[in-house]
Amino acid sequence: MKKLILLLLILSAGVTKAQDSQDYIDLIKANLNLELKSFIYEELELSPSEEEAFAPIFDKYLDESGEIAVEKAALFELYSNNLTTYTEDQINDLNKEVIKTDLQKVKTDKKYYGKFVKAIGVKKTTNFFFLKRYLDNVVDGAKLDFLAE
């Protein structure tokens, strides 16, 4: 778990080094998806048949949620790079965009909830979303720590 959290922190910091969204998506796929899958499968204690049913749905979910994460990371980067020069109107507009990405994330979670339930059941699906929320909070916490410095 510590290895996964470290990867998440590195990736969240690496957003500023990526040249564009595609670089970030490639970075996620290359370094995080395998660790994330391994972590999720282990924590959920998926049986081989559950893994087989869950894997293709999870891959699609990672693609969609990864795109949203890229959008949100780009907004964070804009804010952190322009913290001292943004006007209140610019910050307000940025906040509206952050809210939109948060809503996209919720819609994506809702879209996949039923699919996950069919594949692995209600309890494991619930655990999955709690684990995902925990990991998202770790990344968000690292961003807040950066801004607090």
Side-chain angles (χ1 to χ4, degrees):
M1 175 125 159
K2 288 180 183 179
K3 184 178 178 185
L4 179 63
I5 291 171
L6 180 62
L7 262 173
L8 288 168
L9 293 174
I10 290 168
L11 286 175
S12 67
V15 169
T16 57
K17 292 184 174 28
Q19 295 300 315
D20 58 24
S21 296
Q22 189 58 49
D23 286 348
Y24 185 64
I25 290 171
D26 292 344
L27 188 63
I28 290 172
K29 287 182 180 178
N31 296 304
L32 183 60
N33 282 354
L34 292 177
E35 287 291 329
L36 181 60
K37 285 180 186 181
S38 172
F39 172 74
I40 293 294
Y41 293 160
E42 184 178 318
E43 291 296 314
L44 294 180
E45 298 177 355
L46 297 177
S47 69
S49 62
E50 287 173 327
E51 276 190 41
E52 187 177 324
F54 183 72
I57 302 164
F58 189 39
D59 287 342
K60 289 178 184 175
Y61 174 82
L62 286 175
D63 285 344
E64 286 187 42
S65 61
E67 290 175 16
I68 296 166
V70 167
E71 288 176 34
K72 192 166 184 175
L75 293 171
F76 173 78
E77 184 177 1
L78 274 173
Y79 182 71
S80 64
N81 289 339
N82 298 294
L83 188 60
T84 58
T85 60
Y86 264 9
T87 65
E88 285 192 16
D89 286 339
Q90 289 172 309
I91 294 171
N92 189 47
D93 290 343
L94 188 92
N95 285 332
K96 289 177 184 177
E97 291 301 313
V98 168
I99 291 168
K100 284 181 188 177
T101 61
D102 288 343
L103 288 173
Q104 285 178 312
K105 182 188 175 310
V106 170
K107 287 178 183 178
T108 300
D109 288 353
K110 181 180 176 185
K111 174 182 172 181
Y112 281 89
Y113 177 80
K115 296 174 184 185
F116 288 149
V117 167
K118 286 181 183 176
I120 60 174
V122 172
K123 184 177 180 182
K124 289 184 180 181
T125 297
T126 301
N127 289 345
F128 165 77
F129 281 109
F130 281 134
L131 288 168
K132 183 75 170 67
R133 184 171 296 145
Y134 169 76
L135 296 173
D136 290 344
N137 287 341
V138 169
V139 172
D140 287 345
K143 291 176 184 176
L144 292 173
D145 287 345
F146 170 81
L147 289 175
E149 293 177 356

